[in-house]
Amino acid sequence: MTPVSRETEVRLDRYLALLREWQAKTNLVAPSTLPHLWTRHVADSLQLLALAPTAKTWLDLGSGGGFPGVVLACALAETPGAVVHLIERNAKKAAFLREAIRVTNAPGRVHFSDIKDIVDRLDDPVDCVTARALAPLHQLIGFAEPVVRRGAKALFLKGQDVEAELTEATKYWNITPHLHASRTGGQGWIVELDHIERRR
């Protein structure tokens, strides 16, 4: 669905092999999705690149099993100066992410930390902030607001309840969301935000 270079494909293969290995002892993805890693998880992550084609510095909140953060890092490995910051507060998942970055030689930096601690401290200007299967939209917006205020774009992967989540989010935030239907089918959506302002 999103064409990648042969080098990127090799990196992604290494990453998925590692994920299957670790999945036996650490729950990284829903077990029912293991046979569909490429379509359910990798392609879902890769489609974000088309929405921020010039972004080099990415911040992935609650990276978990590495979607979309590790996938983006694999795809950006040939882009000079690119880096993906992966934030994860679960020690086992953070250890997995470090190993995934190592075996793929992708430009990622793992932060074993709470999101709020990193978002305020990160010195690098962030081009794009992402999250997938992490928290309700109004909470994600709260996490992302400091970096969006400094010029980043937010891209949040969401499911079929996106309208209800947006309705809830607008109680707390002034936002003008752009919705993109997921290319991977199903009822997935990408919520794009360029401006976030707390409601008074």
Side-chain angles (χ1 to χ4, degrees), residues 86-160:
L86 304 110
I87 306 179
E88 179 52 55
R89 68 176 185 185
N90 177 293
K92 284 184 180 174
K93 289 178 179 175
F96 166 75
L97 293 169
R98 280 197 197 94
E99 185 62 8
I101 292 299
R102 189 188 70 77
V103 302
T104 57
N105 199 26
R109 285 188 208 147
V110 180
H111 303 270
F112 174 41
S113 172
D114 279 337
I115 290 167
K116 285 180 180 168
D117 294 341
I118 290 294
V119 164
D120 292 331
R121 271 204 338 249
L122 203 62
D123 292 330
D124 297 17
V126 174
D127 300 316
C128 201
V129 56
T130 61
R132 180 178 188 258
L134 175 64
L137 191 59
H138 72 275
Q139 285 182 4
L140 292 180
I141 291 170
F143 291 147
E145 188 273 335
V147 284
V148 173
R149 194 182 343 120
R150 297 197 297 264
K153 177 201 296 266
L155 295 173
F156 299 134
L157 290 148
K158 283 285 162 189
Q160 59 188 6

Side-chain angles (χ1 to χ4, degrees), residues 26-119:
T26 304
N27 191 33
L28 297 168
V29 294
S32 61
T33 65
L34 277 175
H36 316 288
L37 288 174
W38 275 97
T39 50
R40 279 293 295 278
H41 298 300
V42 175
D44 199 41
S45 302
L46 285 171
Q47 64 183 331
L48 298 180
L49 292 167
L51 298 176
T54 60
K56 283 190 176 185
T57 303
W58 294 69
L59 177 64
D60 188 38
L61 310 177
S63 298
F67 304 105
V70 174
V71 174
L72 294 170
C74 287
L76 292 164
E78 292 143 65
T79 303
V83 64
V84 181
H85 294 276
L86 304 110
I87 306 179
E88 179 52 55
R89 68 176 185 185
N90 177 293
K92 284 184 180 174
K93 289 178 179 175
F96 166 75
L97 293 169
R98 280 197 197 94
E99 185 62 8
I101 292 299
R102 189 188 70 77
V103 302
T104 57
N105 199 26
R109 285 188 208 147
V110 180
H111 303 270
F112 174 41
S113 172
D114 279 337
I115 290 167
K116 285 180 180 168
D117 294 341
I118 290 294
V119 164

